[in-house]
Amino acid sequence: GQTIEIIQAGYYAIPSPINNITVKGADNLVTVADDWGTHPTVVFDASNSSGQLSSLNGVVFTNIKFKFSGSNYTGFQHQAGIVTFNNCDFEGLFNGYGNMVFNDCYFKSTTNEYVMWTYGAPSLAFNGCGFDVAGKALNVYQENSNYDHIITVTNCKFVSSTANKPALAIKNNGNGGSGTSPIYYDITITNSTFEGFGQSDGDLIGFPTDTPYVNAYGYNGATQPLKVTVDGEVWVDISKN
């Protein structure tokens, strides 16, 4: 598909809708560096917006920073194809919709809020990503969906300045287990590191003890399906009925 390259640093509005296209910040604009590596200086700013921002299908973003307002349910609406983010930064609360892949991305939060609700995303893959947060990282959450949710975390680094939630806070059927139909999560974590997280949510359902980087609550035994695999070891496997 077509590639649009942005050659000047600055703030831009998020385009909508866009389909089967690559949107890229020029490589020479990736100049800001810290302990987490380099960061894009092309910014798509939605810090004053809320709700579903744009319809995306088969889109690739490269070298882009996204700023979000922190409002619940803010994200990209899309129904088909995979949206891929390469070397992108995310600041503020971002909600997942559709199938997404994150390669070498950086998620930042300085407040006690998640950087992402997995929400409406059947499939999420995080590869080589960094999570620089203040108590919360991924809210593995959904409200009465009728499809499975597959999440893979590979070669990622999670660091929290405050011990609050586990890095992956898995919640059944929405917040705290409300809802009418079981939601199935298949979560695989491989070669990833976790520092500074807490374990404030209970109901370990067979997890090894002292695991503040992944936890689940709102589950009630075999009626709530869930599979969690960490570095090749299956920690929990509650089959779907």
Side-chain angles (χ1 to χ4, degrees), residues 174-198:
N175 195 0
S178 62
T180 58
S181 60
I183 295 170
Y184 178 66
Y185 293 113
D186 187 343
I187 299 171
T188 302
I189 302 170
T190 305
N191 196 34
S192 297
T193 61
F194 302 83
E195 301 175 20
F197 287 89

Side-chain angles (χ1 to χ4, degrees), residues 111-114 133-137 159-169 171 195-202 211-215 217:
T111 64
N112 187 27
E113 180 53 88
Y114 295 102
V133 301
K136 300 177 182 178
V159 177
S160 179
S161 61
T162 302
N164 185 354
K165 300 287 187 177
L168 281 80
K171 300 177 181 179
E195 301 175 20
F197 287 89
Q199 194 170 335
S200 61
D201 299 329
T211 57
Y213 50 96
V214 59
N215 206 339
Y217 71 100

Side-chain angles (χ1 to χ4, degrees), residues 55-132:
S55 178
L56 309 177
N57 290 312
V59 177
V60 177
F61 292 104
T62 301
N63 299 340
I64 303 291
K65 179 177 180 178
F66 297 89
K67 294 189 69 173
F68 297 103
S69 64
S71 298
N72 294 345
Y73 307 108
T74 299
F76 300 113
Q77 178 186 12
H78 59 281
Q79 291 78 36
I82 297 173
V83 175
T84 301
F85 301 88
N86 300 314
N87 194 41
C88 291
D89 281 14
F90 296 85
E91 182 178 313
L93 174 60
F94 175 49
N95 282 255
Y97 294 93
N99 300 309
M100 293 182 166
V101 176
F102 302 87
N103 298 315
D104 301 312
C105 292
Y106 172 73
F107 296 82
K108 172 70 173 180
S109 176
T110 57
T111 64
N112 187 27
E113 180 53 88
Y114 295 102
V115 291
M116 185 175 187
W117 291 12
T118 63
Y119 194 58
S123 175
L124 291 170
F126 301 92
N127 304 307
C129 295
F131 296 81
D132 182 11

Side-chain angles (χ1 to χ4, degrees), residues 19-54:
N19 301 298
N20 301 315
I21 196 170
T22 295
V23 181
K24 177 183 180 182
D27 290 338
N28 66 322
L29 299 181
V30 183
T31 57
V32 179
D34 57 21
D35 291 342
W36 291 88
T38 59
H39 300 280
T41 56
V42 173
V43 182
F44 281 2
D45 188 7
S47 58
N48 293 318
S49 302
S50 62
Q52 297 179 1
L53 302 173
S54 179

Side-chain angles (χ1 to χ4, degrees), residues 130-162:
F131 296 81
D132 182 11
V133 301
K136 300 177 182 178
L138 295 177
N139 187 20
V140 182
Y141 164 89
Q142 180 50 271
E143 297 171 353
N144 299 324
S145 66
N146 58 359
Y147 47 82
D148 297 346
H149 296 265
I150 300 172
I151 300 171
T152 61
V153 176
T154 307
N155 298 325
C156 292
K157 179 181 179 180
F158 293 75
V159 177
S160 179
S161 61
T162 302

